[in-house]
Amino acid sequence: MNMSNPTERAERVFKTAWFSRAARKARITDAELCAAIRQVMLGQAVDLGGGVFKKRLSKNLYRSIILARGGRYWVYAYLFAKKDRDNIGDDELADFRAVAGLYARKTDVDITKELQLNELVEICHGEE
């Protein structure tokens, strides 16, 4: 990573279209997601390995699965209510790790295309 290039340092945060709908139903705001991702960046989340993190949301009522790409961007990918299930299964974790690997290979052009197709929604625009 070239630290002299400010775009290389920028950490962008996204949510998938699926996550966006699930968060809206759960009444989880982008502001809460942005606050939570700052905590994840500080290590206040469960690192499930392979670029997959689990973070509690909405006063511990929900769990989110977040995919990371080398500190450049984060993607909220999955949401579930703690009352509905304790955790994700090993097969789901393997799938999320595979998807994290796919995101790791995506270029800025790929991300821009997904934003245009509304497959991803960018949040935390320029927040510190």
Side-chain angles (χ1 to χ4, degrees), residues 2-19:
N2 181 355
M3 294 308 262
S4 64
N5 182 346
T7 60
E8 284 293 312
R9 283 195 317 246
E11 293 186 8
R12 298 173 71 187
V13 182
F14 305 95
K15 56 186 178 178
T16 64
W18 183 94
F19 187 96

Side-chain angles (χ1 to χ4, degrees), residues 84-104:
D84 293 338
R85 61 189 304 190
D86 292 330
N87 214 337
I88 59 172
D90 290 342
D91 56 335
E92 292 170 299
L93 178 56
D95 290 344
F96 283 122
R97 287 177 177 157
V99 173
L102 292 174
Y103 274 112

Side-chain angles (χ1 to χ4, degrees), residues 46-54 65-68 88 93 95-98 100:
V46 179
D47 185 343
L48 300 175
V52 180
F53 295 83
K54 182 171 69 171
I65 299 297
I66 304 165
L67 309 178
I88 59 172
L93 178 56
D95 290 344
F96 283 122
R97 287 177 177 157

Side-chain angles (χ1 to χ4, degrees), residues 11 16 24-26 31 41-42 46-48 56 59 63-64 68 72 76 86 89 94 105 116 118 122:
E11 293 186 8
T16 64
R24 194 175 322 116
K25 286 180 187 170
M41 291 175 189
L42 294 171
V46 179
D47 185 343
L48 300 175
R56 295 175 183 170
K59 298 180 180 77
R63 302 289 186 266
S64 61
R72 272 195 71 212
Y76 280 98
D86 292 330
R105 293 188 292 280
Q116 290 168 343
N118 295 320
E122 189 162 9

Side-chain angles (χ1 to χ4, degrees), residues 55-75:
K55 178 68 180 158
R56 295 175 183 170
L57 296 173
S58 194
K59 298 180 180 77
N60 202 24
L61 296 175
Y62 291 89
R63 302 289 186 266
S64 61
I65 299 297
I66 304 165
L67 309 178
R69 178 183 182 237
R72 272 195 71 212
Y73 58 77
W74 303 81
V75 179

